């Protein structure tokens, strides 16, 4: 079965950096987009970044563009989210998710993803 496990979240000071990992298993890694989403208390889950199965296509939300970088390691079936210049507003539970369909269209909405990890907490203090 499909399994996604996030790791790397922790407490960090504003201006610092973190790298989150999403280890995927149970499907053909190269065939599906994987996205990162985040959810803060009292707010809706929002799109952060996504990467295609082959790694050629990436897309970011305006709020993180230029600060975050999504990448993949096909040998490890792992997707990473490098977060730099962190701000207090980045505080949230971060989730990785696999797209429902195997296609090449960048997926930026919650509804386009079928499988989700348990999330990892990122707290930015300021």
């Amino acid at each position: 079965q499909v399994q996604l496990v996030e790791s790397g979240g922790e407490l960090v000071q504003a201006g610092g950096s973190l790298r989150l990992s999403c280890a995927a298993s149970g499907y053909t890694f190269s065939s599906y987009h994987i996205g990162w989403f985040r959810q803060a208390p009292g707010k809706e889950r929002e799109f952060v970044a996504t990467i295609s199965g082959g790694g050629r296509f990436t897309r970011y939300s305006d709020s993180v563009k230029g600060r975050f970088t999504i990448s993949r390691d096909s040998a490890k079936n792992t997707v990473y989210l490098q977060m730099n210049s962190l701000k207090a507003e980045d505080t949230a539970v971060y989730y990785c998710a696999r797209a429902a369909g195997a296609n090449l269209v960048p997926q930026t909405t919650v509804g386009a993803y079928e499988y989700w990890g348990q999330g990892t907490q990122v707290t930015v203090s300021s």
Side-chain angles (χ1 to χ4, degrees), residues 50-96:
T50 190
I51 187 168
S52 63
R56 290 186 59 202
F57 306 101
T58 61
R59 187 170 176 178
Y60 302 88
S61 68
D62 290 340
S63 63
V64 307
K65 190 176 181 64
R67 298 188 298 122
F68 292 10
T69 302
I70 189 169
S71 62
R72 58 176 276 278
D73 185 336
S74 60
K76 297 181 179 180
N77 284 1
T78 299
V79 171
Y80 302 98
L81 184 68
Q82 178 66 47
M83 306 185 294
N84 298 325
S85 301
L86 284 163
K87 306 174 181 179
E89 64 189 31
D90 295 318
T91 296
V93 176
Y94 283 71
Y95 300 89
C96 67

Side-chain angles (χ1 to χ4, degrees), residues 5-12 17-23 36 79-81 83 86 92 94 119-123:
V5 180
E6 305 96 333
S7 62
E10 62 181 69
L11 174 66
V12 64
S17 298
L18 284 175
R19 189 180 75 162
L20 306 183
S21 298
C22 174
W36 284 97
V79 171
Y80 302 98
L81 184 68
M83 306 185 294
L86 284 163
Y94 283 71
T120 185
Q121 176 71 49
V122 172
T123 302

Side-chain angles (χ1 to χ4, degrees), residues 31-34 98-105 107 111-115:
S31 297
Y32 295 85
H33 279 79
I34 284 183
R98 199 211 76 179
N103 58 66
L104 298 178
V105 179
Q107 306 290 347
Y113 293 81
E114 183 175 6
Y115 300 98

